[in-house]
Each structure stands twice: as structure tokens, then as C-alpha cells.
């Protein structure tokens, strides 16, 4: 259980990563704390690489209740934690560290982020449908977990190097998903797979994914993990073809809702957080 503080008690939280200046997490968390009456709580950005995470976390005093963790430190957060949730262990990544009586507990609320985006698109019940995931990095694993939880039956993994997909394919098997790897290049085959998929999830930086826009455009639904710059070439292509798109800000909101609840021990004020992102 997270440490719960009274409204008048000073508590601190932050988002760690590198680079971190662009992060919208402070907007979300500070809006939540103020709406909950936690006037003395703070939330900041801290530049932190994977190599720096251990020393940084160990140096935090008891006023620190929680940390959001972004790239490139998510695996380091998992490895450094005193406790790990089952889902974080399963995907091999942690974007959340919560102070507990036993130390730091690692969780992966990125799964909630993708689940929330699927819900926004009306894709929360996939009923054995096929899906497509672009990329095999740290965000792809939570995406697979969310797709499996929604009932997907199969996934096409799109990568430049087949060897990079090995861990993702192992996770797909664990999750009961039939998985196949295809080349990271525009093709009629990829366009056909995207067109027949219930949802395509892109975990690739905007410009790196841009060459695939001509193929991904056929997707009826797209979840794009990027939120700046927006719209991405993929998002624009899918929208132009009449498809539905949920972007990185949607994912950020839903994963932060769970983080706020873990940090504070209270129900997150979702509406106040969403309003903060809209400003």
C-alpha cells in the first residue's frame, strides 16, 4: 500500500528521465494534488539516466512518496525496486516507483495508459481480433499486455531487425497472443495487415515512423504513443482516411491517473487532470 499523507503534510514526487524538459507529467500530477486539497505536495522534473537512477533514488528522504519514470530509465527502475508488481515483472519495465514501508515498489501503469487509449477508441473488447504493433522497445511490451487484456487474438510486430523482437515475441506467447514479425518498411502486405487489424499501436518516434504512414493509413484505429509534435505523420494519415486516433496525451492521462492513486491513496480527479492537459 502507498504511504498516505494528510493534506497539510509536505510530500514530494517527480518524473525521472532524459531528456525530461518536455514532460507534461507535472501538469497532470499538480492538477490532481490541488484538486485533492494537497496544497503542500510538489512534483518536478528531474534529469536522470538509467545509470544515475539508483544513486538518485537512494538519496531521497522520506518526504518523497512516488516517482514517475520515463525513458531511458524504466528497466533500471524495475531492477532497483525492493518490490515489483506482477505486471511490471511480466513486461520487464516499470514507469512507477511508490514508497512503501518495505522500500520502493515498482509498477507499470503504462499498461493502463494503453488500455485507456483503447477505451477511447471503442476497442476495449477486441474479441480475438488481429492487431499491429510498430516497434519493439520499452513501450511495446506494455502495449502487448493491454492488447491481450482487451482480448486480442494475434499481433503483427513491425521492426527493422527481427532479433530486436525476440523479447516481445516471448511476451506475446506468455500472453496467449499469436505473433508474427514483418519488416519495418512500407508495403502492400503491411497496409493489408493494418486495414484488417482492429487497432494499430505505434511506439516509434514520429519521424522514424513517418515512412510507414502510407501503409498505416489504412488502419481503422491508431494508438500513437507520441504526443509532441502532434499530429504525427501516422496520426495525420489515419485521420485523413477517416480512421480514429488516440495519441500520447490520452495514454499519459490514463497512466497518470493510476500513479496519482498509488502516490496519494485517493481516487484520482480525472476531470481536473484532463483539463490540465487541455490548457
Amino acid at each position: 500500500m502507498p504511504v498516505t499523507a494528510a493534506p497539510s503534510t509536505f510530500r514530494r514526487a517527480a518524473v525521472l528521465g532524459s531528456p525530461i524538459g518536455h514532460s507534461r507529467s507535472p501538469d497532470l500530477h499538480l492538477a490532481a494534488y490541488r484538486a485533492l486539497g494537497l496544497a503542500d505536495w510538489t512534483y518536478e522534473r528531474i534529469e536522470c539516466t538509467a545509470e544515475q537512477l539508483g544513486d538518485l533514488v537512494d538519496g531521497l528522504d522520506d518526504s518523497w512518496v512516488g516517482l514517475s519514470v520515463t525513458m531511458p530509465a524504466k528497466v533500471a527502475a524495475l531492477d532497483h525496486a525492493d518490490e515489483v508488481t506482477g505486471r511490471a515483472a511480466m513486461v520487464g519495465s516499470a514507469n512507477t516507483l511508490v514508497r512503501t514501508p518495505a522500500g520502493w515498489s515498482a509498477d507499470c501503469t503504462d499498461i493502463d495508459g494503453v488500455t485507456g487509449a483503447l477505451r477511447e477508441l471503442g476497442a476495449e473488447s477486441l474479441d480475438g481480433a488481429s492487431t499491429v504493433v510498430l516497434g519493439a522497445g520499452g513501450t511495446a511490451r506494455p502495449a502487448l499486455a493491454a492488447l491481450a487484456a482487451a482480448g486480442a487474438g494475434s499481433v503483427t510486430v513491425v521492426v527493422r531487425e527481427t532479433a530486436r523482437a525476440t523479447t516481445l515475441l516471448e511476451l506475446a506467447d506468455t500472453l496467449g497472443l499469436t505473433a508474427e514479425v514483418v519488416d519495418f518498411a512500407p508495403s502492400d502486405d503491411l497496409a493489408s495487415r493494418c486495414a484488417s487489424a482492429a487497432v494499430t499501436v505505434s511506439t516509434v518516434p514520429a519521424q522514424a515512423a513517418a515512412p510507414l504512414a502510407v501503409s498505416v493509413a489504412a488502419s481503422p484505429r491508431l494508438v500513437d504513443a507520441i504526443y509532441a509534435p502532434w499530429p504525427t505523420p501516422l496520426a495525420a494519415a489515419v485521420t485523413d482516411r477517416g480512421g480514429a486516433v488516440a495519441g500520447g496525451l490520452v495514454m499519459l492521462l490514463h497512466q497518470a491517473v493510476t500513479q496519482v492513486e498509488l502516490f496519494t491513496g485517493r481516487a484520482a480527479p480525472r476531470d481536473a487532470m484532463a483539463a490540465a492537459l487541455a490548457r
Side-chain angles (χ1 to χ4, degrees):
M1 292 293 293
V3 172
T4 302
S8 61
T9 302
F10 175 66
R11 292 290 183 266
R12 305 175 73 179
V15 57
L16 311 182
S18 183
I20 202 62
H22 69 287
S23 175
R24 298 291 308 276
S25 290
D27 300 329
L28 287 163
H29 281 261
L30 290 173
Y33 302 160
R34 301 304 172 254
L36 291 171
L38 302 171
D40 294 335
W41 284 48
T42 65
Y43 187 99
E44 59 192 275
R45 300 178 184 90
I46 299 177
E47 192 77 16
C48 177
T49 65
E51 294 74 20
Q52 294 168 330
L53 182 135
D55 288 342
L56 190 153
V57 172
D58 288 345
L60 301 179
D61 63 32
D62 290 344
S63 67
W64 290 84
V65 296
L67 299 166
S68 309
V69 183
T70 188
M71 298 304 290
K74 293 183 180 183
V75 174
L78 183 79
D79 292 342
H80 192 71
D82 301 290
E83 301 175 334
V84 178
T85 64
R87 65 180 184 171
M90 177 181 66
V91 301
S93 176
N95 74 321
T96 307
L97 290 172
V98 185
R99 175 89 73 179
T100 75
W104 290 96
S105 176
D107 195 9
C108 183
T109 73
D110 282 332
I111 298 172
D112 301 327
V114 181
T115 296
L118 294 176
R119 190 180 306 118
E120 296 268 348
L121 294 176
E124 66 270 28
S125 181
L126 295 176
D127 196 25
S130 63
T131 60
V132 175
V133 172
L134 310 183
T139 306
R141 287 176 282 180
L144 271 195
L147 290 171
S154 64
V155 59
T156 295
V157 179
V158 185
V159 292
R160 286 190 175 86
E161 300 175 16
T162 302
R164 291 199 63 212
T166 300
T167 301
L168 204 62
L169 293 177
E170 292 172 351
L171 177 59
D173 184 62
T174 298
L175 293 167
L177 290 169
T178 301
E180 187 175 357
V181 177
V182 301
D183 290 337
F184 195 97
S187 67
D188 291 341
D189 176 56
L190 179 57
S192 176
R193 289 171 185 265
C194 289
S196 61
V199 61
T200 297
V201 180
S202 176
T203 67
V204 179
Q207 291 309 309
L212 299 185
V214 64
S215 299
V216 174
S219 304
R221 300 182 185 90
L222 171 71
V223 175
D224 195 327
I226 304 303
Y227 62 79
W230 189 262
T232 65
L234 295 189
V238 172
T239 300
D240 288 346
R241 287 278 293 270
V245 176
L249 286 181
V250 175
M251 293 173 56
L252 187 69
L253 170 63
H254 287 282
Q255 64 84 26
V257 163
T258 305
Q259 286 184 340
V260 166
E261 293 178 346
L262 289 171
F263 293 177
T264 68
R266 304 181 183 196
R270 187 186 303 267
D271 291 345
M273 296 170 70
L277 277 186
R279 289 197 287 267

